[in-house]
Amino acid sequence: MAATVHSQHTLETFHEDMVHDAQLDYYGKRLATCSSDRTVKIFEIEGETRRELETLKGHEGPVWQVAWAHPKFGNILASCSYDNKVFIWKEQSGSWGKIKEHTMHTASVNSISWAPHELGPILACASSDGKISVLTFKDDGKWDAQIIDAHAIGANSVSWAPATIPGALVQITGGAPNVNVSKRFASGGCDNNIKIWSYREDANEWKEDETLEGHTDWVRDVAWAPNVGLPKSYLASCSQDKTVLIWTQDTPNSTWNKTPLRHERFLDVVWRVSWSLSGNILAVACGDNKVTLYKENIKGEWELLSELVDQ
């Protein structure tokens, strides 16, 4: 789910402190925000108006990110915090309540990401303890957790690959596993690296496929582009080193190639990167309060489309 673009000043009228994330649900009707005030708020969106529906409390530190699950699983929202915890909230009979408290991490949980809905209700969590946990909701109503030693100094971000392998325009249905379905995600860490992970069904474990080196400082965010008929995989990464890199992979087993988004560095730390739902426009959020949009031209070069400045 793509984040909505609102003025931070407008959002902060609803929170008592800095807003760290804002995410629209699948239908674009509800907005979830989280803040240093330790709360998560849910708003109903109608045109230019917002109506607060709920304030979710329970975290004991700043809440860094929120993530909506696909609506096929119900109205479910995950949140992660500096308090080392991940909460999963669910709306039932018009009231929100906590259905899972994930406490396996020993440091701040910095990023959360739901897997593509074709893979089931699966949540990946990246923590400053260097580990990534993968939570899977089972048919018996319990949550299974797997822990991956990912980035020695700390993990800052995690992003799932599309469920469908690029170029494989197939209909994913029930029954036997489809060979064109992929269970992969990318993570970015304080070791300056991006890592690609894939799930091995035979061993029931996550394995590191590749380490992508190119940044010279902490990787702040990674974002895997949606696959809507694109012939190859696209991955964006941004860093404390004030750069954004675009990584491409022609086939699932080929080498990843990197291209700088632009030749000059950004003016400040680049905190977030996010793809449009069509997968061909990249939004870049920088520490200088600017959000810039880029698109790849037919020559494979990335062009600046527009620039938004938060006054």
Side-chain angles (χ1 to χ4, degrees):
M1 270 56 77
T4 187
V5 179
H6 284 269
S7 165
Q8 182 163 294
H9 300 302
T10 303
L11 287 174
E12 284 177 1
T13 63
F14 296 97
H15 282 279
E16 296 177 358
D17 214 329
M18 179 179 289
V19 174
H20 295 293
D21 196 17
Q23 296 284 337
L24 282 171
D25 70 357
Y26 181 84
Y27 299 110
K29 299 294 187 182
R30 289 183 175 183
L31 174 71
T33 64
C34 61
S35 165
S36 288
D37 66 9
R38 306 180 181 184
T39 68
V40 173
K41 290 183 181 287
I42 298 173
F43 303 92
E44 185 177 65
I45 305 296
E46 290 185 8
E48 295 296 315
T49 64
R50 289 188 299 274
R51 181 172 66 91
E52 185 176 336
L53 298 177
E54 196 91 28
T55 297
L56 306 179
K57 298 179 179 180
H59 280 297
E60 298 169 343
V63 186
W64 302 130
Q65 265 189 11
V66 286
W68 292 95
H70 191 277
K72 71 179 288 185
F73 305 119
N75 290 329
I76 294 176
L77 181 73
S79 58
C80 64
S81 170
Y82 182 76
D83 65 9
N84 310 352
K85 298 175 183 178
V86 174
F87 291 166
I88 298 176
W89 314 83
K90 185 174 184 178
E91 183 185 34
Q92 300 176 90
S93 302
S95 178
W96 285 87
K98 187 167 48 178
I99 61 170
K100 173 66 177 176
E101 187 170 325
H102 178 43
T103 59
M104 297 180 70
H105 288 288
T106 59
S108 174
V109 183
N110 303 315
S111 179
I112 46 177
S113 178
W114 289 100
H117 67 88
E118 298 94 335
L119 304 179
I122 305 174
L123 183 72
C125 316
S127 170
S128 291
D129 62 12
K131 296 178 171 57
I132 292 173
S133 57
V134 181
L135 294 176
T136 304
F137 186 70
K138 298 294 190 178
D139 292 335
D140 61 4
K142 296 180 180 178
W143 291 86
D144 174 63
Q146 292 178 292
I147 300 291
I148 305 167
D149 287 319
H151 298 271
I153 314 173
N156 296 322
S157 57
V158 61
S159 178
W160 287 86
T164 309
I165 292 175
L169 295 178
V170 296
Q171 180 68 33
I172 300 173
T173 60
N178 194 306
V179 294
N180 292 313
V181 175
S182 167
K183 192 182 286 189
R184 295 194 295 171
F185 64 80
S187 62
C190 300
D191 55 6
N192 308 348
N193 294 330
I194 298 109
K195 294 189 177 184
I196 309 296
W197 307 88
S198 64
Y199 186 69
R200 308 295 167 84
E201 297 285 350
D202 53 347
N204 187 32
E205 66 178 359
W206 290 91
K207 301 288 286 185
E208 180 185 330
D209 279 347
E210 199 159 357
T211 296
L212 307 181
E213 300 178 348
H215 287 293
T216 58
D217 208 332
W218 291 11
V219 177
R220 284 296 182 182
D221 197 19
V222 290
W224 209 306
N227 173 23
V228 282
L230 297 175
K232 55 188 176 182
S233 294
Y234 284 79
L235 182 70
S237 62
C238 63
S239 169
Q240 195 85 15
D241 65 13
K242 305 178 183 179
T243 69
V244 173
L245 296 176
I246 306 295
W247 307 82
T248 55
Q249 185 186 41
D250 294 329
T251 67
N253 297 315
S254 64
T255 301
W256 286 87
N257 298 306
K258 68 174 181 284
T259 303
L261 182 66
R262 59 188 220 178
H263 296 299
E264 68 277 11
R265 291 179 185 267
F266 286 82
L267 297 179
D268 208 324
V269 174
V270 188
W271 289 95
R272 297 290 294 273
V273 281
S274 178
W275 294 97
S276 64
L277 293 179
S278 58
N280 61 348
I281 296 176
L282 181 70
V284 178
C286 192
D288 59 2
N289 292 331
K290 290 182 181 178
V291 176
T292 46
L293 303 179
Y294 292 84
K295 186 174 182 178
E296 187 180 21
N297 63 25
I298 58 174
K299 297 179 181 179
E301 301 164 339
W302 291 88
E303 297 178 336
L304 177 65
L305 286 182
S306 63
E307 183 176 276
L308 308 172
V309 181
D310 184 2
Q311 301 294 342

